[in-house]
Amino acid sequence: MRRIVTAAIAVALSLTGLFASPALASGTTWLVQAGSAPAGPPIGGGNRFYPAAIAIHPGDSVAFTPIGAHTITFNRPPGPIFALLGPSGGTTVNAKTDVVHSGLIGAGPPPQPAFTVSFASTLPAGRYHFICSLHVGMNEDIDVLPMSQALPKTQAQYDAIAQGEIARDLDTLADLAAKANKRDEDGPIVLAGAGDKRVSNLRFFPATITVGVGQTVTFLKTKDPTEPHTVTFGTENPDPFIQLLPSGGNTFPNATGTANSGLLVTHRQYRFYQLAGVLPPAVATYKVTFTAAGTYRYICEIHDEIGMVGTVVVK
Ligand SMILES: [Cu+2]
């Protein structure tokens, strides 16, 4: 998981040039951006499609350009999210029941190639609902209109809508990070990610916390609804699935050398990822009691390579 999701959000693409004039196949190729990220070092971004809805004709295509790790999925195949990292079902929608699933895209140094979905010229008119399998609520409605009906908007108009939505989301992203840094709680609390339904800061807040020997730090994933995280002290298991299982208990340092929350997700994410019977029930909070003075580095095993790491100083 770690390796795959990794470089993913390591994205600082200028939007300029992203919405170039559409190439013509049999029909028009429409452009949609999957995800958004601020310029500069990767810190997270928007987990939405931009724009979130478009209208096209049968025979047209939609090219989804990924900014960060996402999937482009029509009729999600059943099974846990881990089974969906590869593509399935091809790239053409010939019927409302077809599966089109990109697998994981956008996970690598930018720019990453677009995933283009073709809509058959014989396709019935109607709404075709696409999702990102990684991010709850990341949806794209594609309305296929009959050829007899004029399309309501041009690509330039969609680009303007997209740019507005991206600007708003990136403002929110920065706001939420600022607020997460300014919290003032009674006890030692660390936020594992800070976001809302649309955006996520892939960081711990605060990145460094100081406590006394015997104190307990509470790590909360509850303020970041669209991303999963872990809180992992000590040795990281090399197996990406084992990384998602809790281990080592709730004290550190301890005899096992590890204190790992396992996958932290909301109940909604747990259902969305179809994890029942695969992972223990959904948990979004992890408590660790520190038993000795020292400086303890920890990571989110999913997002550490883009800087989601923290430190607990115990005095
Ligand atoms: Cu996504």
Side-chain angles (χ1 to χ4, degrees):
M1 189 91 167
R2 165 173 168 252
R3 208 143 282 290
I4 305 165
V5 179
T6 301
I9 314 202
V11 185
L13 267 198
S14 154
L15 293 169
T16 320
L18 197 62
F19 299 106
S21 41
L24 291 176
S26 56
T28 301
T29 298
W30 299 87
L31 305 177
V32 169
Q33 184 171 314
S36 62
I43 57 158
N47 291 322
R48 289 287 154 157
F49 289 107
Y50 307 98
I54 61 169
I56 67 172
H57 276 142
D60 287 352
S61 298
V62 178
F64 294 89
T65 298
I67 305 293
H70 301 285
T71 78
I72 312 302
T73 305
F74 179 64
N75 290 325
R76 183 205 194 277
I81 183 65
F82 319 118
L84 297 188
L85 299 180
S88 55
T91 59
T92 301
V93 180
N94 289 295
K96 292 203 161 177
T97 52
D98 273 1
V99 170
V100 170
H101 173 62
S102 65
L104 188 71
I105 61 170
Q112 290 289 312
F115 180 79
T116 301
V117 179
S118 304
F119 294 79
S121 56
T122 52
L123 199 61
R127 173 159 293 180
Y128 292 78
H129 184 72
F130 282 66
I131 67 166
C132 168
S133 309
L134 298 182
H135 298 119
V136 180
M138 182 166 167
N139 305 317
E140 178 75 19
D141 281 332
I142 299 180
D143 285 326
V144 176
L145 303 185
M147 292 304 284
S148 58
Q149 198 175 330
L151 295 180
K153 289 192 172 64
T154 65
Q155 182 71 53
Q157 289 170 315
Y158 287 126
D159 292 354
I161 293 169
Q163 306 274 6
E165 289 170 346
I166 290 166
R168 272 198 304 279
D169 279 355
L170 296 183
D171 278 355
T172 305
L173 186 77
D175 267 11
L176 289 171
K179 283 189 185 121
N181 274 319
K182 270 194 221 136
R183 291 168 314 121
D184 187 15
E185 274 115 0
D186 288 343
I189 291 175
V190 174
L191 301 186
D196 66 6
K197 286 189 283 189
R198 302 179 61 92
V199 305
S200 168
N201 284 284
L202 299 170
R203 287 291 183 273
F204 292 106
F205 299 92
T208 299
I209 191 168
T210 301
V211 297
V213 173
Q215 269 197 295
T216 300
V217 177
T218 301
F219 297 90
L220 295 178
K221 212 290 297 184
T222 50
K223 301 295 184 192
D224 193 17
T226 68
E227 292 280 0
H229 300 295
T230 78
V231 171
T232 307
F233 288 86
T235 318
E236 187 183 18
N237 194 293
D239 182 320
F241 180 74
I242 305 277
Q243 287 179 2
L244 304 181
L245 300 174
S247 66
N250 297 86
T251 60
F252 197 79
N254 61 35
T256 71
T258 301
N260 181 13
S261 65
L263 189 68
L264 297 175
V265 285
T266 62
H267 289 279
R268 190 168 177 206
Q269 284 178 302
Y270 188 85
R271 285 192 303 274
F272 185 69
Y273 295 152
Q274 300 188 13
L275 296 176
V278 180
L279 286 182
V283 168
T285 300
Y286 185 50
K287 286 178 187 285
V288 182
T289 303
F290 293 89
T291 55
T295 297
Y296 305 109
R297 186 177 172 275
Y298 64 95
I299 65 172
C300 166
E301 292 183 306
I302 300 167
H303 304 114
D304 56 330
E305 289 176 16
I306 62 163
M308 191 163 173
V309 301
T311 304
V312 177
V313 178
V314 181
K315 299 209 156 157

